[in-house]
Amino acid sequence: MKKIDGHLHLVRNIAGLNGKGRLNALGDGKAIWDDGTVIQLIPEGSGDDSFTAEAAMQLMDKADVEKAVLLQGSLNGYQNYYSYQMIKKYPERFIGAFSVDPFADNAMAIVKRHVEELGFRAIKFEISQGGGLHGYHGNTPFRLDTDARVGQIFHYLADYPGFTVTVDYGSYDQVSYQPEAIANLAARYSKLDFVVCHLSFPSEEHLNRLRAALELFKEHENLYVDLSAIQDIQADTTFPYPKCQQTVALAKEVLGAKRLIWGTDSPWSATFNSYENLANWLEASELFDGEELADVLYNNADKVYFKQTAVDAAAQAKDPALK
């Protein structure tokens, strides 16, 4: 069955930044944070200090993944421009979102450049305390639905019906956890699509907490969740991931199969579980019938990210900075 990876990261140059400081490449796919934490960022055989589009496509091809959505994150460092280049080079394989720090003085200029000049029709807010904006803006906690700087961005994006806003707000024990804000934004901007990453950081031991978040999302048809990295989050390494099956079953019950987007969060997630297993676990789980599986694995991501307006904008984009 054909698939779209709805949550993939390319890493041209490791440039991570979070509460642990900067992330520095060590080679062999490893990297070290400024506080001394060492991680295996790139799966063995997929790059020493980068995870290129070509390396990603090798994994995708082996797992019968047709296309992928390129997202940004503080773990890898924003790879906006490399994503733009690879979308232009491989338009049949990739579409993507850009990221911006709304606290930057030139935040709105950055947003307008990526939308108007580079042709992006999706933006990713990684605001989590553990790995995103709240980790290095810890003295200024903010909400996406009330902060004036973020509000400027949304007011601008409202002129682009069909624009997609993807959010990673971390786990419930972080100040960044704000499912209420996403529900409010989905109601306020009904012409935009919203995607909450990582199934709102689920736990099979706290299904009521997950249900509470999903019930907030339920009434908003323009609000989706992706299923990426839940194996890492739930410490589930036994294929086909029985802990994850519990939380995805709940998501199916509350939201339905048409609001779920499969993804992997590779490369990092592919160091805990093989990309092939991440690509095949939903089929093996038998949680969905054939039509539902096609929606979760392909159709929903195609609808949300590969809109014709997004594909056309990417195709027509030309960077005036390089003229």
PDB file of all heavy atoms in Angstrom, residues 252-269:
ATOM      1  N   LYS A 252      -8.488   6.814  16.878  1.00  0.00           N
ATOM      2  CA  LYS A 252      -9.447   6.399  15.856  1.00  0.00           C
ATOM      3  C   LYS A 252     -10.874   6.503  16.393  1.00  0.00           C
ATOM      4  O   LYS A 252     -11.785   6.975  15.690  1.00  0.00           O
ATOM      5  CB  LYS A 252      -9.152   4.972  15.407  1.00  0.00           C
ATOM      6  CG  LYS A 252     -10.163   4.426  14.406  1.00  0.00           C
ATOM      7  CD  LYS A 252      -9.923   2.952  14.102  1.00  0.00           C
ATOM      8  CE  LYS A 252     -11.038   2.397  13.220  1.00  0.00           C
ATOM      9  NZ  LYS A 252     -10.860   0.949  12.939  1.00  0.00           N
ATOM     10  N   GLU A 253     -11.085   6.080  17.628  1.00  0.00           N
ATOM     11  CA  GLU A 253     -12.416   6.129  18.234  1.00  0.00           C
ATOM     12  C   GLU A 253     -12.941   7.567  18.314  1.00  0.00           C
ATOM     13  O   GLU A 253     -14.100   7.834  17.982  1.00  0.00           O
ATOM     14  CB  GLU A 253     -12.368   5.525  19.638  1.00  0.00           C
ATOM     15  CG  GLU A 253     -13.670   5.651  20.419  1.00  0.00           C
ATOM     16  CD  GLU A 253     -13.499   5.399  21.898  1.00  0.00           C
ATOM     17  OE1 GLU A 253     -12.561   4.649  22.279  1.00  0.00           O
ATOM     18  OE2 GLU A 253     -14.280   5.957  22.699  1.00  0.00           O
ATOM     19  N   VAL A 254     -12.086   8.503  18.743  1.00  0.00           N
ATOM     20  CA  VAL A 254     -12.534   9.875  18.982  1.00  0.00           C
ATOM     21  C   VAL A 254     -12.557  10.693  17.693  1.00  0.00           C
ATOM     22  O   VAL A 254     -13.534  11.406  17.415  1.00  0.00           O
ATOM     23  CB  VAL A 254     -11.643  10.560  20.036  1.00  0.00           C
ATOM     24  CG1 VAL A 254     -12.077  12.016  20.238  1.00  0.00           C
ATOM     25  CG2 VAL A 254     -11.690   9.808  21.351  1.00  0.00           C
ATOM     26  N   LEU A 255     -11.500  10.621  16.899  1.00  0.00           N
ATOM     27  CA  LEU A 255     -11.374  11.477  15.726  1.00  0.00           C
ATOM     28  C   LEU A 255     -11.761  10.798  14.417  1.00  0.00           C
ATOM     29  O   LEU A 255     -12.150  11.485  13.465  1.00  0.00           O
ATOM     30  CB  LEU A 255      -9.929  11.994  15.599  1.00  0.00           C
ATOM     31  CG  LEU A 255      -9.406  12.885  16.716  1.00  0.00           C
ATOM     32  CD1 LEU A 255      -7.980  13.316  16.416  1.00  0.00           C
ATOM     33  CD2 LEU A 255     -10.289  14.104  16.910  1.00  0.00           C
ATOM     34  N   GLY A 256     -11.614   9.482  14.369  1.00  0.00           N
ATOM     35  CA  GLY A 256     -11.851   8.773  13.119  1.00  0.00           C
ATOM     36  C   GLY A 256     -10.602   8.701  12.270  1.00  0.00           C
ATOM     37  O   GLY A 256      -9.663   9.502  12.420  1.00  0.00           O
ATOM     38  N   ALA A 257     -10.575   7.760  11.359  1.00  0.00           N
ATOM     39  CA  ALA A 257      -9.380   7.501  10.560  1.00  0.00           C
ATOM     40  C   ALA A 257      -9.026   8.652   9.624  1.00  0.00           C
ATOM     41  O   ALA A 257      -7.863   8.803   9.240  1.00  0.00           O
ATOM     42  CB  ALA A 257      -9.562   6.216   9.749  1.00  0.00           C
ATOM     43  N   LYS A 258      -9.973   9.481   9.254  1.00  0.00           N
ATOM     44  CA  LYS A 258      -9.713  10.551   8.302  1.00  0.00           C
ATOM     45  C   LYS A 258      -9.018  11.762   8.936  1.00  0.00           C
ATOM     46  O   LYS A 258      -8.695  12.721   8.235  1.00  0.00           O
ATOM     47  CB  LYS A 258     -11.009  10.993   7.624  1.00  0.00           C
ATOM     48  CG  LYS A 258     -11.580   9.936   6.694  1.00  0.00           C
ATOM     49  CD  LYS A 258     -12.744  10.460   5.885  1.00  0.00           C
ATOM     50  CE  LYS A 258     -13.272   9.408   4.926  1.00  0.00           C
ATOM     51  NZ  LYS A 258     -12.265   9.014   3.908  1.00  0.00           N
ATOM     52  N   ARG A 259      -8.756  11.702  10.229  1.00  0.00           N
ATOM     53  CA  ARG A 259      -8.089  12.822  10.898  1.00  0.00           C
ATOM     54  C   ARG A 259      -6.698  12.420  11.425  1.00  0.00           C
ATOM     55  O   ARG A 259      -6.085  13.165  12.185  1.00  0.00           O
ATOM     56  CB  ARG A 259      -8.954  13.314  12.072  1.00  0.00           C
ATOM     57  CG  ARG A 259     -10.390  13.718  11.667  1.00  0.00           C
ATOM     58  CD  ARG A 259     -10.503  15.165  11.337  1.00  0.00           C
ATOM     59  NE  ARG A 259     -10.263  15.977  12.514  1.00  0.00           N
ATOM     60  CZ  ARG A 259     -11.190  16.236  13.458  1.00  0.00           C
ATOM     61  NH1 ARG A 259     -12.407  15.729  13.363  1.00  0.00           N
ATOM     62  NH2 ARG A 259     -10.896  17.018  14.476  1.00  0.00           N
ATOM     63  N   LEU A 260      -6.211  11.247  11.017  1.00  0.00           N
ATOM     64  CA  LEU A 260      -4.927  10.727  11.486  1.00  0.00           C
ATOM     65  C   LEU A 260      -3.946  10.666  10.326  1.00  0.00           C
ATOM     66  O   LEU A 260      -4.285  10.215   9.233  1.00  0.00           O
ATOM     67  CB  LEU A 260      -5.095   9.328  12.093  1.00  0.00           C
ATOM     68  CG  LEU A 260      -6.216   9.132  13.116  1.00  0.00           C
ATOM     69  CD1 LEU A 260      -6.233   7.692  13.616  1.00  0.00           C
ATOM     70  CD2 LEU A 260      -6.075  10.111  14.276  1.00  0.00           C
ATOM     71  N   ILE A 261      -2.711  11.105  10.576  1.00  0.00           N
ATOM     72  CA  ILE A 261      -1.675  11.140   9.545  1.00  0.00           C
ATOM     73  C   ILE A 261      -0.473  10.332  10.025  1.00  0.00           C
ATOM     74  O   ILE A 261       0.146  10.671  11.052  1.00  0.00           O
ATOM     75  CB  ILE A 261      -1.254  12.589   9.242  1.00  0.00           C
ATOM     76  CG1 ILE A 261      -2.428  13.378   8.649  1.00  0.00           C
ATOM     77  CG2 ILE A 261      -0.042  12.622   8.308  1.00  0.00           C
ATOM     78  CD1 ILE A 261      -2.153  14.864   8.472  1.00  0.00           C
ATOM     79  N   TRP A 262      -0.136   9.288   9.281  1.00  0.00           N
ATOM     80  CA  TRP A 262       1.039   8.492   9.627  1.00  0.00           C
ATOM     81  C   TRP A 262       2.320   9.278   9.316  1.00  0.00           C
ATOM     82  O   TRP A 262       2.393  10.045   8.359  1.00  0.00           O
ATOM     83  CB  TRP A 262       1.049   7.178   8.844  1.00  0.00           C
ATOM     84  CG  TRP A 262       2.363   6.461   8.959  1.00  0.00           C
ATOM     85  CD1 TRP A 262       2.824   5.747  10.017  1.00  0.00           C
ATOM     86  CD2 TRP A 262       3.412   6.437   7.973  1.00  0.00           C
ATOM     87  NE1 TRP A 262       4.098   5.277   9.757  1.00  0.00           N
ATOM     88  CE2 TRP A 262       4.475   5.684   8.523  1.00  0.00           C
ATOM     89  CE3 TRP A 262       3.553   6.976   6.695  1.00  0.00           C
ATOM     90  CZ2 TRP A 262       5.661   5.454   7.815  1.00  0.00           C
ATOM     91  CZ3 TRP A 262       4.733   6.763   5.997  1.00  0.00           C
ATOM     92  CH2 TRP A 262       5.772   6.001   6.561  1.00  0.00           C
ATOM     93  N   GLY A 263       3.331   9.080  10.145  1.00  0.00           N
ATOM     94  CA  GLY A 263       4.642   9.664   9.905  1.00  0.00           C
ATOM     95  C   GLY A 263       5.663   8.971  10.783  1.00  0.00           C
ATOM     96  O   GLY A 263       5.307   8.174  11.666  1.00  0.00           O
ATOM     97  N   THR A 264       6.943   9.267  10.578  1.00  0.00           N
ATOM     98  CA  THR A 264       7.990   8.557  11.312  1.00  0.00           C
ATOM     99  C   THR A 264       8.807   9.451  12.247  1.00  0.00           C
ATOM    100  O   THR A 264       9.335   8.978  13.242  1.00  0.00           O
ATOM    101  CB  THR A 264       8.975   7.870  10.355  1.00  0.00           C
ATOM    102  OG1 THR A 264       9.720   8.849   9.619  1.00  0.00           O
ATOM    103  CG2 THR A 264       8.237   6.922   9.410  1.00  0.00           C
ATOM    104  N   ASP A 265       8.955  10.738  11.912  1.00  0.00           N
ATOM    105  CA  ASP A 265       9.874  11.627  12.633  1.00  0.00           C
ATOM    106  C   ASP A 265      11.317  11.166  12.473  1.00  0.00           C
ATOM    107  O   ASP A 265      12.140  11.338  13.378  1.00  0.00           O
ATOM    108  CB  ASP A 265       9.503  11.747  14.114  1.00  0.00           C
ATOM    109  CG  ASP A 265      10.104  12.994  14.774  1.00  0.00           C
ATOM    110  OD1 ASP A 265      10.559  13.889  14.050  1.00  0.00           O
ATOM    111  OD2 ASP A 265      10.137  13.058  16.019  1.00  0.00           O
ATOM    112  N   SER A 266      11.615  10.594  11.338  1.00  0.00           N
ATOM    113  CA  SER A 266      13.005  10.235  11.048  1.00  0.00           C
ATOM    114  C   SER A 266      13.789  11.502  10.688  1.00  0.00           C
ATOM    115  O   SER A 266      13.210  12.494  10.262  1.00  0.00           O
ATOM    116  CB  SER A 266      13.040   9.252   9.871  1.00  0.00           C
ATOM    117  OG  SER A 266      12.420   8.055  10.229  1.00  0.00           O
ATOM    118  N   PRO A 267      15.124  11.522  10.919  1.00  0.00           N
ATOM    119  CA  PRO A 267      15.964  10.350  11.140  1.00  0.00           C
ATOM    120  C   PRO A 267      16.037   9.829  12.578  1.00  0.00           C
ATOM    121  O   PRO A 267      16.345   8.662  12.788  1.00  0.00           O
ATOM    122  CB  PRO A 267      17.343  10.837  10.705  1.00  0.00           C
ATOM    123  CG  PRO A 267      17.330  12.303  11.006  1.00  0.00           C
ATOM    124  CD  PRO A 267      15.933  12.762  10.710  1.00  0.00           C
ATOM    125  N   TRP A 268      15.797  10.709  13.580  1.00  0.00           N
ATOM    126  CA  TRP A 268      16.070  10.280  14.948  1.00  0.00           C
ATOM    127  C   TRP A 268      15.240   9.065  15.330  1.00  0.00           C
ATOM    128  O   TRP A 268      15.756   8.110  15.918  1.00  0.00           O
ATOM    129  CB  TRP A 268      15.831  11.432  15.929  1.00  0.00           C
ATOM    130  CG  TRP A 268      16.509  11.242  17.259  1.00  0.00           C
ATOM    131  CD1 TRP A 268      17.668  10.562  17.492  1.00  0.00           C
ATOM    132  CD2 TRP A 268      16.088  11.746  18.530  1.00  0.00           C
ATOM    133  NE1 TRP A 268      18.007  10.613  18.833  1.00  0.00           N
ATOM    134  CE2 TRP A 268      17.051  11.336  19.494  1.00  0.00           C
ATOM    135  CE3 TRP A 268      15.009  12.503  18.949  1.00  0.00           C
ATOM    136  CZ2 TRP A 268      16.945  11.664  20.841  1.00  0.00           C
ATOM    137  CZ3 TRP A 268      14.911  12.842  20.302  1.00  0.00           C
ATOM    138  CH2 TRP A 268      15.872  12.416  21.237  1.00  0.00           C
ATOM    139  N   SER A 269      13.962   9.066  15.002  1.00  0.00           N
ATOM    140  CA  SER A 269      13.112   7.939  15.397  1.00  0.00           C
ATOM    141  C   SER A 269      13.556   6.630  14.758  1.00  0.00           C
ATOM    142  O   SER A 269      13.312   5.551  15.304  1.00  0.00           O
ATOM    143  CB  SER A 269      11.651   8.236  15.047  1.00  0.00           C
ATOM    144  OG  SER A 269      11.116   9.194  15.940  1.00  0.00           O
TER     145      SER A 269
END
